[in-house]
């Protein structure tokens, strides 16, 4: 069984601008999380908060960036929501997200973003978590696509 989540989104912006949508707190907060605390460097924080009043719940508190190349690559650890926290958030290693920022060959000045979420274990609980995350990531990237592409149309 393939235990990798791989989502692709095409954006009407450069790969550098797409990269900023994942590394600049205000931009992340426009499409992914209510609050973000990102330090764009290896070992820097990659923390998202969906309930800022309770930062330890429904967050990626403690997650770190594991690799970064501006405009090309971003890798970070990832945690799960409350219903999966008992195993996802204590796993060693945590699950891992790799985001690639590529030039769209079909459209000049556009980006193709590949998000790959790995590190899923093989028991039924992990499979439930992976199955839950697939549409969550697709919906998040659709929010990003609408935000970026509709801004482009409005400009």
């Amino acid at each position: 069984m393939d235990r990798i989540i791989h989502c692709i989104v095409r954006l009407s912006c450069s790969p550098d601008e797409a990269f900023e949508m994942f590394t600049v707190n205000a931009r992340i907060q426009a499409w992914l999380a209510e609050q973000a605390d990102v330090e764009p460097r290896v070992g820097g924080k990659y923390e998202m908060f969906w309930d800022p009043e309770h930062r330890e719940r429904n967050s990626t508190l403690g997650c770190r960036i594991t690799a970064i190349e501006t405009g090309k690559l971003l890798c970070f650890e990832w945690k799960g929501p409350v219903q999966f926290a008992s195993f996802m958030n204590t796993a060693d290693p945590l699950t891992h997200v790799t985001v690639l920022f590529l030039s769209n060959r079909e459209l000049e000045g556009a980006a193709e973003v590949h998000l790959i979420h790995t590190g899923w274990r093989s028991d039924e609980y992990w499979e439930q978590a992976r199955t839950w995350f697939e549409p969550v990531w697709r919906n998040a990237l659709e929010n990003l696509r609408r935000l970026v592409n509709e801004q482009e149309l409005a400009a």
Side-chain angles (χ1 to χ4, degrees), residues 57-130:
R57 292 182 32 184
N58 282 329
S59 72
T60 62
L61 184 67
C63 287
R64 300 283 175 192
I65 293 175
T66 59
I68 188 169
E69 186 173 347
T70 302
K72 295 182 179 175
L73 171 78
L74 178 65
C75 302
F76 48 89
E77 300 167 320
W78 198 256
K79 291 184 176 179
V82 171
Q83 66 268 36
F84 307 122
S86 65
F87 58 93
M88 274 190 79
N89 299 358
T90 58
D92 186 14
L94 295 169
T95 64
H96 196 258
V97 177
T98 299
V99 187
L100 301 168
F101 304 89
L102 309 170
S103 293
N104 185 327
R105 295 180 200 166
E106 299 167 11
L107 198 59
E108 189 174 330
E112 186 172 281
V113 176
H114 290 252
L115 183 143
I116 304 161
H117 192 164
T118 61
W120 305 101
R121 279 47 164 204
S122 59
D123 71 31
E124 66 182 272
Y125 299 107
W126 280 92
E127 183 57 19
Q128 288 171 10
R130 190 190 66 77

Side-chain angles (χ1 to χ4, degrees), residues 15 23 25-26 33 39 48 63 73 90 94 132-133 142 146-147:
T23 56
N25 291 330
E39 300 169 343
M48 305 294 134
C63 287
L73 171 78
T90 58
L94 295 169
W132 184 87
F133 264 104
E142 177 58 20
R146 276 196 305 266
L147 177 68

Side-chain angles (χ1 to χ4, degrees), residues 19-31 36 38 40 46:
F19 179 83
E20 289 179 359
M21 298 303 292
F22 283 80
T23 56
V24 174
N25 291 330
R27 293 188 176 203
I28 296 166
Q29 291 165 183
W31 69 275
V38 173
Y46 204 81

